[in-house]
Amino acid sequence: MAEIIEFGKKAQDLKSVRDLSLRQRKIDALKKVFQCTRCMLKCAKCGAQLAETHGEKAGRYATPYGFCVNCREEYEEYRERKSGKQTTPRYYWHNEVWMKAWGSWLEHQKCLDQYRQSREFLQLLEEVEELLRK
């Protein structure tokens, strides 16, 4: 009789393992979204470390994301060409495919922003905050 398995305890242990796994998945999902995609210390486009910008002149356009100097210049050129204010590329490699790459990158960022505002993502935030309070 000493070797009888306590099914209730075993089931509870399995549930605890699953709960812990789900909790960790939720936390990892938030880390990825906030640490990786919205790091304020690196360029949103290329990932380069951002330098101090004290005294740096403002660009022609307010940028929706933090860019390094080079990506900011590229963004400004993209905007100028997209609006028709500039017709020739600054560099020969800033061709139509380059324009398409910038456009699709900006669209991807817009989708990520919308995802972060979705009801389900906000629910995930609340659940993780609740888990962290425990």
Side-chain angles (χ1 to χ4, degrees):
M1 286 303 264
E3 295 183 24
I4 295 175
I5 299 173
E6 294 180 37
F7 287 109
K9 182 175 181 343
K10 190 74 166 173
Q12 183 62 35
D13 290 345
L14 286 173
K15 184 181 181 314
S16 294
V17 168
R18 275 187 259 133
D19 289 348
L20 183 60
S21 176
L22 180 60
R23 176 183 178 180
Q24 191 58 50
R25 286 181 65 97
K26 288 177 179 181
I27 291 171
D28 290 344
L30 287 180
K31 278 184 188 177
K32 184 172 72 172
V33 169
F34 287 109
Q35 288 180 340
C36 301
T37 63
R38 284 290 175 243
C39 179
M40 301 305 289
L41 302 174
K42 66 179 186 141
C43 175
K45 179 83 165 58
C46 72
Q49 190 76 24
L50 292 178
E52 297 270 341
T53 58
H54 300 293
E56 190 176 309
K57 68 173 190 145
R60 290 177 287 237
Y61 298 100
T63 62
Y65 309 102
F67 292 129
C68 66
V69 173
N70 292 331
C71 290
R72 186 184 209 359
E73 287 176 6
E74 285 192 11
Y75 174 75
E76 289 177 355
E77 179 180 341
Y78 170 80
R79 289 282 310 266
E80 293 271 325
R81 289 178 59 194
K82 192 78 174 161
S83 70
K85 293 179 184 174
Q86 179 181 338
T87 56
T88 57
R90 186 172 296 145
Y91 304 106
Y92 69 88
W93 60 86
H94 290 183
N95 57 19
E96 288 305 312
V97 179
W98 177 88
M99 289 288 293
K100 187 176 178 181
W102 261 99
S104 64
W105 183 84
L106 288 167
E107 183 63 28
H108 176 72
Q109 297 307 308
K110 180 180 164 186
C111 289
L112 288 174
D113 292 341
Q114 290 171 347
Y115 172 63
R116 283 192 272 299
Q117 295 302 314
S118 71
R119 183 174 42 90
E120 295 82 2
F121 185 79
L122 295 174
Q123 178 183 340
L124 174 63
L125 276 176
E126 288 175 13
E127 289 174 7
V128 169
E129 285 177 1
E130 183 67 30
L131 289 171
L132 296 176
R133 280 189 229 124
K134 290 181 180 181

